[in-house]
Structure formats: structure tokens, C-alpha cells
Amino acid sequence: MLSWLAVLLALGALTGWAFYQTFVAPRHNPLQGIAGPPCKGFIGNLSRVLDPVCSSKAHEIYVKRYGRSIRIRGVGPWDERLLTLDPLSIQHVLKNSTIYEKPWQSRTLITSLIGCGMLSAEGHVHKRQRRVATPAFSIQNLRELIPLVFDKGNQLKNKWSTMISEGGTKPGDLSSTLDVCHWISRATFDVIGIAGFDYHFNAIHDESNELFLAYKEMFEVAISQGKPWRTTMSIYAPWINKILPDKRQRTIERCQGTIRRVAGRLIQEKKRKIQEAANNGKTYGGKDLLSLLLKSNASSDLAPESRISDQDILHNINTFMFAGSDTSSLSLTWTLYLLAQHPEIQTRLRNELLSVAPTTGISDLTEEEIQSLYGNLSSLPYLHNVTTESLRLIPPVHSSIRVATQDDEIPTMYPVHRRDGTVDEGKSVTVPKGSFVHVAVEGFNLDKEMWGEDAWEFKPDRWDALPEKAQELPGLFSNTLTFSAGPRSCIGLRFSLIEIKTFLYILLTHFVFIPTGEKINRVNVVLTRPFVSGKYKEGSQLPLIVKPYDPNAPLDEQTTSPVDM
Ligand code: HEM
Ligand SMILES: *[C@@H]1O[C@H](CO)[C@@H](O)[C@H](O)[C@H]1NC(C)=O
Ligand SMILES: *[C@@H]1O[C@H](CO)[C@@H](O)[C@H](O)[C@H]1NC(C)=O
Ligand SMILES: *[C@@H]1O[C@H](CO)[C@@H](O)[C@H](O)[C@H]1NC(C)=O
Ligand SMILES: *[C@@H]1O[C@H](CO)[C@@H](O)[C@H](O)[C@H]1NC(C)=O
Ligand SMILES: *[C@@H]1O[C@H](CO)[C@@H](O)[C@H](O)[C@H]1NC(C)=O
């Protein structure tokens, strides 16, 4: 009874608020004065900006028509957003993380899934978590990661070799079509499990581990989107999930239960080990993120208000699982896809990789030799350029969003076009408190005016002679926004570069990748994922023909797609 009364009251309040927001407030919004695509309907052109199939084209058209500071409608007439493709503006927004926060709506959604970890916290809570976690990602600690990544890359290689030798369709035909997206994701899950909390999912081997299944299922539910109205309800009226839990909610709660139980036990075990070592006057040697977080929290030079709780630790481990597994596996998957599409680049990269390959197999190398090998790999110029180019061209995080927590003047480098057709040479845009700013990660990475006419093509050699305008772009990594920029940029950049370069080394020196001829589409579901055209029901996948690399085979036989012949 009471809850229905509450619903009625809430609806009444909502109607009044909606009326005010729809008809009164927008007239006073300074963003209304800026040029942007017409918005006839309830929802404007936002979906075009978010869809990787047409977003680069849409951005190009908008910049030509409306300049680099663009007004775009979000959801409903009260939601006018700033879509900026002005480098100075984006720098201001991303670096000024006290004024520009992540909107509470998206933070609520992430928090309901993985808890309030570094990805969704704001203000002093975020600062504290980031300070505790930063030492875990130091160059020294990441060195410890290298042998583990080599081991997992090698396991994946062995698995694929077995599958290919068992699965050849004709006798003597040594190739198989593999869903590289699926397999690489299992491998990166294994890596983050061990690196994150010293836990062995063994997902390359099989997919039966209960913690692995819990994470996997929870993240899949998160991206399979559910019903939009229900998601909206659960953001604005979270009590609905308590009163009327739907299937999605029940799945999430079941998974969270498993995670709390298994991971909670791991946290307690680790704490005990650290305490035990301390009692014996030693320091515990664990190098996983969980141990490092616990040790960082216990270190005496940390201010009392900077310390974090058990729950914070669990939420951050969840966050690393969420932010660090699919992102890395997708960037690797897309790189292999691009290399399959460009056999000449694949061959050139393979030759460079082979030039540093030791004669001994990876499993026979000592830890020192592995470190030395990685040192040699990380300074290979073409490997670096291919990796950077792939991360620029298909950034796994397609875009992000910020909200202004106070009225602000955003500085601009380019003139601002006004709705009435005049062009304002003044050097800023006024945004009122509460406005959303759309951060077009891919839009910046693919901007032809900055990167040149060939910006939409895969050209690793562009990094030899980058246009001056591109060299001035802000961004944590190589003038791209792939890892964002500023205080909220990716903490896992170096971590993922180790993964990407090592896996590319192992996979390309053992296999040749060939397109199957099926059309692959990019779809933005939380991250930019590959789908086979017409097979969306089958979920995200990227089939490639994988063939063992034979140094003696003639070149054209190695890389020609059977479909092209
Ligand atoms: C190719 C791989 C990766 C890409 C492209 C990537 C990209 C990003 C981006 C764009 C953000 C900012 C999100 C936003 O502002 O909305 C971010 C944040 C973050 N990433 Fe990554 N990431 C990658 C790998 C990783 C890995 C391996 C880890 C951890 C092991 C990680 C941990 C995080 C965390 C914790 C944050 C939140 C940082 C904060 O808000 O202070 N990422 N990442
Ligand atoms: C914007 O949306 C309108 C319809 O709402 C559509 O006609 C127009 O083509 C879109 N413009 C772009 C550039 O996507
Ligand atoms: C943050 O914004 C304020 C106010 O607009 C500005 O004065 C300051 O320079 C900005 N800081 C950075 C790092 O951009
Ligand atoms: C972090 O340190 C504080 C103070 O020593 C302690 O109370 C807290 O339990 C620690 N957090 C964890 C997760 O161990
Ligand atoms: C790395 O390169 C150095 C110098 O060329 C070489 O001496 C060393 O053996 C290489 N390491 C491995 C593991 O191949
Ligand atoms: C790769 O790019 C760097 C600049 O980042 C350049 O110095 C180098 O020559 C390039 N190497 C190759 C082989 O393309």
C-alpha cells in the first residue's frame, strides 16, 4: 500500500519537474545558443554519435556544419549537451576533474554492478583509492607481470596449436577458423585473475571456475542492456529492484553473492599472510594487486584518512576485473583483425618480431631471459607503431561523458558557431551547472583535420611523421584519447601495453591470421565489440582463419584469404 502511495507522489512530483525542465528551464540554457544538429524528436542525433558504424562520418559532418563546439540533444528537451571536438576544450574538461565529474546516473549503474571502485567514485573517495592503487602500477611492479603474461600467451598458443592439429577440415589442411575474440578474452581474464588477486581462473584450459563464471555472467548481463525503461527506472528509482526484482537483477545478485564469498575469502587469506609475515619481522612477497593494495594501505607514510576498507578493496578488485579484461582483449582482437586485413603489415611486423626471437622456446627461458626478451620487444619501433595505430583507430572505449558541477566557461581554440548563423571569435563556451559534456574518444582519434585525410585508415607508418596538429593533441597515450587524459585517465595503460605487445609477439611468431571473408561490424555495447554482420544473436565474435606459421612456406600462400582466390 505504502509503496503505491509513494509511487503516486513521486509521479506527481516528476510531472511538475518535467514540465519545468521541458518548457521553462531550456530557454535560459546558454547552450541553446550554440549551433548543432536539429532536434525534432524527443531524442536527437545522439545515437549517430555513439554508433561506431557512422560516428566518424557524423562527427565530420557536424564539424563542417557547426564548428568544433556542438550542441547536441541527449534524452529529452531538457538535456542539451556539449559535444566538443576542440582540443583545448577537451583538455580543460578532462584535466579539471573537480568541476567535471562522471554523471551520477552512470556512476549509479556501474556501482550497482561492481561497487563503488575507482571507476565510479568521485571527489576525495576517488583520490584516496587512486593514491592507494598507484604504487601497484609502478614500472617496478609491472615487471613482475611480464613472466605471467608470457606464460599465459604461451598457453594460449599451445591451446590453438592443439585445436588446429585436431580440427583441420581436410587431411593436411593445417588451419582452423577460431573466434579470436572469445579465446583472447579467456586469456586476458586469466592474466587479470592472477595479477589482480593471485587467483587462477584457468579459463584458457576450461570455463568451469565458479568465480570466472560469476564475473563473466555479470559483465554479460551488463552489456546485454536489458530493457531501457527498466534500466532507467533502476537508476532513478533503485528501490524498484528491491520490490520487483527482474531476471537481470536476480542474476546480478546471484553473481555478486558468489564474488563476495570467494573473493572475500581471498582478501581475508591475504591479510592473514601479510600479518603473519609482519609478525615474523618480514614483508610478504606477494606482487598481485590485492597484496599491493593491502600493503599500500598498511604503509606507515599513508595518512589515516587515506586508508581504505575491506569493501573498498573488493570493489577495486571488481573494478580491475571489469576495466582490465575486456578492454585489453578487445584491443588485441581488433589488432589481429586489422593485421589479417593488411597481410603486408602482418608480414612486416612478424619479420621484426622474429628478429628478436630467441632460439629457445618460451617455456624454456629463465625469468631473467624473459625480462630481457620483453625489454627487446618493447623497444621494437614497428611493433610500437602497429600497437599505437590500432589503439588509435579502434579505441575499445568509444566515448565517455562528464557533467559540469558548476557554471563554467570552457576555453576554445576554434571559433564557436552560434545557432543564429553568426560565428563567435570569443574564446570560450558557457556551460551551466548540470550540463553533460560528451567526450568523443574515437571522434578525436579519427579527426581528419588533425590526423590528415587518411585518418580513417590503418597506417602504422603515420607515426614516423605525425602532422603537427596531431602532435599537439592532449591524451595520456600518444596524442590519442584511447586511455583518456587527466586525473581520471586509465591507470592500466602500461599493464595493457605489456599484454598487447607480448601476446602479439607470441601469436604472430607462431600463427598467420587470415580473414574469413565474413563482414565484421563494430558495435558499441559499453565497449566497441566485433559482431559478424547478420549474426548479432550469436553475440560478440571475431572469427579468423588461423594457420601455423611456417618459415619455409612461400609468402603468398601464407596470407592469401581463400575467399579472395
Ligand atoms: C587497451 C586497454 C585499455 C583501454 C583502452 C582502457 C581505457 C580506459 C579509459 C578510456 C578510461 C577512462 C574512462 C572514462 O573516463 O570514462 C579508463 C579508466 C580506467 N582503467 Fe583502463 N583501459 C585499458 C586497460 C586497463 C587495464 C588493464 C586496467 C587495470 C588493470 C585498467 C583500469 C582502469 C581503471 C581502474 C580506470 C579508472 C581510473 C580512474 O577513474 O581513476 N584499464 N581506462
Ligand atoms: C540527424 O537526425 C535527423 C532526424 O532526426 C536526420 O534526418 C539527420 O540526417 C541526422 N543528421 C546526421 C548528420 O546524422
Ligand atoms: C580548471 O577550471 C578553472 C576555472 O575555469 C580554471 O581557472 C583552471 O585553469 C582549470 N584548471 C585546469 C587544470 O585546466
Ligand atoms: C587499511 O588500514 C586501516 C588502518 O590501519 C585499517 O583499519 C583497515 O582495515 C585497512 N584496510 C584493509 C582493507 O585492510
Ligand atoms: C636481447 O637483446 C640483447 C642485445 O641484442 C641480447 O644480448 C639478448 O640475448 C636478447 N635477449 C633475449 C632473451 O633474446
Ligand atoms: C615508429 O614511430 C616512431 C615514432 O613514434 C618512429 O621514430 C619510428 O621510426 C617508427 N618506426 C617504424 C619502423 O615505423
Side-chain angles (χ1 to χ4, degrees):
M1 261 314 276
L2 214 60
S3 60
W4 288 112
L5 191 64
V7 172
L8 280 179
L9 283 175
L11 280 179
L14 204 69
T15 317
W17 176 79
F19 180 83
Y20 173 80
Q21 293 289 336
T22 313
F23 299 105
V24 186
R27 291 167 192 271
H28 304 293
N29 187 342
L31 275 179
Q32 287 285 356
I34 297 177
C39 34
K40 293 187 206 84
F42 192 71
I43 298 179
N45 291 55
L46 194 65
S47 56
R48 284 168 197 269
V49 167
L50 291 174
D51 179 358
V53 170
C54 57
S55 53
S56 36
K57 191 88 204 151
H59 287 127
E60 187 180 37
I61 294 173
Y62 293 166
V63 168
K64 283 211 177 98
R65 272 190 210 154
Y66 312 114
R68 293 190 164 270
S69 304
I70 303 152
R71 170 194 46 77
I72 191 159
R73 171 160 300 180
V75 186
W78 52 83
D79 177 8
E80 294 292 351
R81 304 182 180 187
L82 176 67
L83 162 59
T84 175
L85 286 160
D86 187 306
L88 193 59
S89 305
I90 209 67
Q91 171 144 334
H92 175 87
V93 169
L94 290 178
K95 303 221 160 141
N96 235 318
S97 61
T98 43
I99 302 182
Y100 295 92
E101 296 190 339
K102 299 189 178 177
W104 67 265
Q105 292 88 338
S106 55
R107 288 165 50 208
T108 304
L109 210 59
I110 298 176
T111 302
S112 72
L113 209 65
I114 57 175
C116 191
M118 212 191 300
L119 204 57
S120 54
E122 278 292 348
H124 70 278
V125 178
H126 172 262
K127 267 217 186 77
R128 187 178 64 201
Q129 295 191 343
R130 183 118 185 170
R131 194 172 309 135
V132 176
T134 299
F137 290 90
S138 69
I139 294 183
Q140 229 167 344
N141 281 323
L142 288 180
R143 260 179 77 83
E144 308 284 336
L145 179 70
I146 292 168
L148 158 67
V149 176
F150 268 89
D151 181 38
K152 285 296 168 187
N154 203 40
Q155 283 183 26
L156 183 65
K157 178 213 82 185
N158 291 339
K159 183 83 190 178
W160 282 4
S161 293
T162 313
M163 288 171 69
I164 291 168
S165 64
E166 286 169 355
T169 35
K170 293 181 291 250
D173 169 22
L174 278 184
S175 76
S176 274
T177 299
L178 299 179
D179 176 6
V180 298
C181 182
H182 170 80
W183 281 100
I184 291 179
S185 146
R186 285 166 70 162
T188 55
F189 238 94
D190 270 1
V191 170
I192 193 84
I194 300 175
F197 43 115
D198 193 10
Y199 186 78
H200 295 257
F201 292 119
N202 283 325
I204 296 179
H205 185 59
D206 69 60
E207 293 184 289
S208 61
N209 178 283
E210 76 172 326
L211 192 55
F212 173 77
L213 290 174
Y215 275 122
K216 202 83 192 159
E217 196 176 357
M218 192 164 82
F219 297 163
E220 251 152 46
V221 167
I223 68 164
S224 63
Q225 290 182 325
K227 299 185 185 73
W229 68 267
R230 178 73 199 211
T231 311
T232 313
M233 278 298 274
S234 62
I235 292 173
Y236 288 91
W239 41 264
I240 192 162
N241 286 335
K242 297 238 160 53
I243 301 173
L244 291 169
D246 60 347
K247 188 159 164 260
R248 179 176 183 277
Q249 184 59 24
R250 281 195 297 267
T251 309
I252 293 176
E253 277 170 17
R254 179 167 46 75
C255 295
Q256 283 172 337
T258 309
I259 292 168
R260 252 197 316 273
R261 176 166 51 79
V262 184
R265 202 172 58 217
L266 292 171
I267 294 175
Q268 296 315 320
E269 262 168 39
K270 269 285 178 252
K271 277 178 128 172
R272 194 175 45 74
K273 283 186 189 159
I274 293 172
Q275 192 56 48
E276 231 169 60
N279 291 347
N280 297 331
K282 296 194 195 101
T283 33
Y284 176 66
K287 296 292 184 191
D288 54 286
L289 296 176
L290 173 57
S291 302
L292 295 166
L293 285 179
L294 287 170
K295 280 192 273 186
S296 167
N297 179 61
S299 99
S300 53
D301 51 359
L302 199 68
E305 68 276 10
S306 296
R307 301 194 191 265
I308 61 177
S309 68
D310 275 14
Q311 201 176 33
D312 280 338
I313 296 258
L314 178 61
H315 292 167
N316 270 320
I317 294 293
N318 285 348
T319 301
F320 293 138
M321 297 300 305
F322 184 72
S325 63
D326 272 8
T327 43
S328 294
S329 77
L330 284 168
S331 56
L332 262 161
T333 300
W334 284 119
T335 309
L336 290 179
Y337 168 76
L338 290 166
L339 290 171
Q341 299 280 321
H342 297 84
E344 68 297 343
I345 297 178
Q346 185 180 153
T347 305
R348 185 170 153 200
L349 177 59
R350 180 176 299 105
N351 288 338
E352 189 191 55
L353 295 170
L354 287 168
S355 75
V356 296
T359 44
T360 343
I362 288 160
S363 45
D364 296 327
L365 295 177
T366 64
E367 191 166 327
E368 239 162 82
E369 286 168 328
I370 296 241
Q371 294 289 357
S372 156
L373 176 55
Y374 185 75
N376 294 351
L377 280 181
S378 65
S379 56
L380 290 178
Y382 199 56
L383 174 61
H384 189 72
N385 292 0
V386 169
T387 307
T388 313
E389 179 66 351
S390 162
L391 285 165
R392 179 191 70 86
L393 190 62
I394 313 185
V397 178
H398 182 269
S399 45
S400 190
I401 186 170
R402 294 292 185 272
V403 63
T405 58
Q406 61 182 64
D407 295 351
D408 192 26
E409 288 285 322
I410 300 183
T412 58
M413 201 169 189
Y414 292 84
V416 179
H417 296 234
R418 306 205 59 87
R419 204 169 194 165
D420 57 18
T422 58
V423 175
D424 192 352
E425 296 290 340
K427 292 285 174 229
S428 71
V429 182
T430 309
V431 292
K433 176 179 174 175
S435 312
F436 291 123
V437 180
H438 180 83
V439 181
V441 170
E442 189 213 56
F444 268 94
N445 288 0
L446 299 185
D447 195 326
K448 287 185 179 171
E449 279 181 40
M450 305 292 163
W451 297 90
E453 268 309 304
D454 57 5
W456 299 356
E457 292 160 39
F458 180 60
K459 282 196 172 167
D461 280 333
R462 82 171 66 247
W463 295 92
D464 284 334
L466 219 50
E468 214 162 285
K469 273 185 176 168
Q471 287 177 36
E472 284 160 8
L473 292 176
L476 180 67
F477 180 63
S478 297
N479 308 99
T480 68
L481 282 188
T482 302
F483 295 91
S484 188
R488 300 304 301 262
S489 61
C490 182
I491 201 173
L493 162 63
R494 286 202 213 95
F495 189 116
S496 51
L497 286 181
I498 292 175
E499 271 189 306
I500 295 171
K501 289 187 173 181
T502 304
F503 273 66
L504 281 180
Y505 166 73
I506 296 175
L507 296 178
L508 283 173
T509 52
H510 288 93
F511 303 106
V512 177
F513 297 89
I514 304 165
T516 59
E518 284 176 294
K519 186 171 173 359
I520 303 295
N521 280 336
R522 306 175 196 184
V523 183
N524 181 5
V525 270
V526 186
L527 299 171
T528 300
R529 298 169 199 271
F531 283 77
V532 174
S533 177
K535 294 188 182 169
Y536 295 96
K537 287 246 162 64
E538 291 176 21
S540 181
Q541 56 174 328
L542 197 136
L544 288 179
I545 298 169
V546 185
K547 221 168 136 169
Y549 167 67
D550 174 2
N552 302 315
L555 211 70
D556 50 345
E557 205 181 284
Q558 295 254 350
T559 48
T560 314
S561 161
V563 191
D564 296 341
M565 288 198 285

